Structure formats: structure tokens, C-alpha cells
Amino acid sequence: MNHFLDIHTTAPSDLRAMIDKAAEMKAARDGLPKGTPDAEQPLANHMVALIFEKPSTRTRVSFDVGVRQMGGQTMVLSGADMQLGHGETIADTARVLSRYVDMIMIRTFEEQTLMEMAEYASVPVINGLTDRTHPCQIMADILTFEEHRGPIKGKKVVWSGDGNNVFASFAHAAGQFGFNLTFTGPPTLDPSARVLDEARAVGAEITIERDPFKAVEGADLVVTDTWVSMHDPQSARERRHNQLRPYQVNENLMAMARPDALFMHCLPAHRDDEATSAVMDGPHSVVFDEAENRLHAQKAVMRWCLGV
């Protein structure tokens, strides 16, 4: 059973095969109208359940379109449509869905929900996001970097801001793909010790540098994410803004990176908070290529999960 739950629990050879397949599938679509089905239809006669306990734009659209391009069908379910972990146990829901569909993608809050779904499902389960990790996003980010700058192995990646779930998957990827990762942010928003331990266990080299300008020196890639969650109360938002303001990615900070450095943000962005519009729309930015590549990377992940 090929579940795709986290980057550090997936073999490096499999991760590399997925990135290469994603690039191949993207190239095969070059010049075709967006609605054109893929020449290969590896998901023909397959049904995929897309479960969203958290709202989404990119995850929902990219998975739905990806399944359809590959000849499959989707069933999109929200938390309001289901009794996930409330009226029915997650284990029972996993067992029931496995009788109806060929694969499950879940975007949820608690990591335990994902893990229990995978434990009891008899079909592959994909982590579309949890509060702890976001592996599909980082697969898209690796694909994006490599299509612009070649292999990411040995490159310097700098994360500026909050040590959140997206950073966690970047940390997991550092060892698996062989790049160096620097975190710069306030001590109150450091990545968890568990994340750092998991990343270092698979060979990641992670540096924590409080001075953002020093951290970004010589960077090949600078990455940030939104400072606030949609679920944060206003008081928490204000505290985070005060803590993170020195770590805004602006033109002065990007000037410390390599001249050909890339800038990424997984979106949605609060422009002129975590990154200025000048950077978001500037020559270093690949944020919309990054968003598009969620589609191609996730198609490769789904194919790997189903072995097709």
C-alpha cells in the first residue's frame, strides 16, 4: 500500500521518481488546451475521494483537475458532509470509503486523523495538509525549483518566518533531496523539536539563524508563508505581526541572496505582510509557477500511490 503521508517517511528514490514523472507529464501537456485529457489515462475507471475538513483553493482545484485529466472521477466531501470522528469513528469511515473509492486525499487539522485514516483504509491515502505537515506543497516546490535552476541537491534554501507545517515538510525534504536549509525567525515561532529530529534523522542539515540578512546571504531559494492562519483570533494575529515583521521578505532582504535566487510562497499571500508586492511580482518570484505545479506534482503522487 503506497500511502503518501509525509516526505521523511517516503523513500528518496520514490520521491525522485515522482518529481521526474511530474516534469514528464507537464512537458507532455505543453501547448495543449487546459481541459484536454492526458494522452495516458492512468486513472480511467478510478474514483478518488477528496476530503476537506479545511477549506482550500489550490489543493481542491489541483487534485480535482489532476484526477480528471488522468481519466478518473472525484467525489469532493467537506467536513459538513461527513461525520468524520464525530458521529462515526475515523477508522469506520476509512473502512467504508475504501469499499467505494480507489484512493483518498484528506486535508484536515489533526495529524492523528490522517494517520488513523491511513491505518484503517484499504486504499492509498494522501496527505493534502495537516496542521503539522504539507508534503504535496513541497513536492511542487522542488519541481518548480528544478525546472528553473536544475537539481536542488547541494543548494541553499532559506525559510523566513514561522516554523509552521509547510516549513516542517521543507525540513523533511532537505535530507531526502540533499539541500541545505536555514530557518530564520523569532524563537517563539521556531519549528518543533520533533520536526527537526525527524529531518536530521534522514540526513537534513538545518541551521537556525536569527538575523534574516545573514541567513539569506548566498541563498539559492528564499521561501516564506502567511504569518497568520484563518483560524487565529485578532489578538494572536497582532502578536504574530509584531514578532515576524523583521522577517518580511522585501527587496533589501532578497538583495542578500544570490543574483539568480528564486522566491517562493505557497499562497494565499497577505501582500506587504510576509512579502512585499515588489518581491511577489519581481524577477525572483516563481509563485504562480509554484501554484501550477501543485497540479503536476500531485498527479505524479497519485500515480505512484496507485502504481499506474
Side-chain angles (χ1 to χ4, degrees), residues 232-239:
D232 288 341
Q234 186 60 35
S235 58
R237 293 173 181 233
E238 291 171 1
R239 285 196 302 273

Side-chain angles (χ1 to χ4, degrees), residues 17-29 40 143 303:
M18 286 183 248
I19 294 294
D20 292 345
K21 176 57 73 174
E24 176 188 317
M25 295 179 76
K26 181 176 182 179
R29 292 192 60 81
E40 288 185 88
L143 175 64
R303 292 190 67 166

Side-chain angles (χ1 to χ4, degrees), residues 58 107 129-130 133-134 137-138 141 158-168 170 183-184 189 222-229 240-241 244 247-249 263-271 273-275 280 287 290:
R58 275 150 294 278
R107 180 180 172 94
L129 175 141
T130 70
T133 59
H134 196 0
Q137 178 63 56
I138 274 51
D141 293 352
V158 178
W159 178 278
S160 184
D162 179 9
N164 62 11
N165 55 350
V166 184
F167 173 82
F170 251 116
F183 171 84
T184 187
L189 296 174
V222 179
V223 192
T224 192
D225 194 7
T226 181
W227 288 350
V228 296
S229 165
R240 280 176 170 266
H241 274 77
L244 288 164
Y247 299 94
Q248 181 192 65
V249 182
F263 168 75
M264 291 188 190
H265 187 308
C266 69
L267 304 179
H270 294 84
R271 284 172 174 259
D273 281 350
E274 64 268 14
M280 293 280 297
V287 297
E290 184 185 1

Side-chain angles (χ1 to χ4, degrees), residues 5 7 20 23 35 38 65 70 98 111 172 209 235 242 250 307:
L5 304 180
I7 287 179
D20 292 345
D38 289 359
V65 170
M70 294 190 292
S98 297
E111 180 191 34
H172 292 156
E209 171 56 62
S235 58
N242 291 335
N250 51 40

Side-chain angles (χ1 to χ4, degrees), residues 63-191:
F63 268 106
D64 199 349
V65 170
V67 172
R68 293 167 187 262
Q69 285 182 352
M70 294 190 292
Q73 298 184 62
T74 60
M75 177 187 301
V76 180
L77 301 165
S78 71
D81 297 324
M82 307 179 68
Q83 302 181 63
L84 195 61
H86 303 293
E88 181 175 59
T89 67
I90 295 165
D92 285 352
T93 300
R95 292 183 180 108
V96 169
L97 285 177
S98 297
R99 301 297 181 99
Y100 301 144
V101 304
D102 301 289
M103 183 161 52
I104 299 167
M105 188 288 303
I106 182 167
R107 180 180 172 94
T108 188
F109 294 91
E110 297 293 331
E111 180 191 34
Q112 184 55 37
T113 301
L114 167 75
M115 302 308 289
E116 194 168 347
M117 182 70 72
E119 180 179 357
Y120 290 97
S122 56
V123 298
V125 174
I126 296 172
N127 177 359
L129 175 141
T130 70
D131 286 344
R132 206 177 82 83
T133 59
H134 196 0
C136 287
Q137 178 63 56
I138 274 51
M139 294 297 283
D141 293 352
I142 302 293
L143 175 64
T144 305
F145 183 90
E146 294 197 342
E147 71 182 7
H148 284 273
R149 295 290 184 264
I152 197 168
K153 185 175 182 179
K155 301 299 185 180
K156 180 179 179 180
V157 177
V158 178
W159 178 278
S160 184
D162 179 9
N164 62 11
N165 55 350
V166 184
F167 173 82
S169 288
F170 251 116
H172 292 156
Q176 303 289 60
F177 286 96
F179 58 85
N180 301 313
L181 180 62
T182 297
F183 171 84
T184 187
T188 50
L189 296 174
D190 272 352

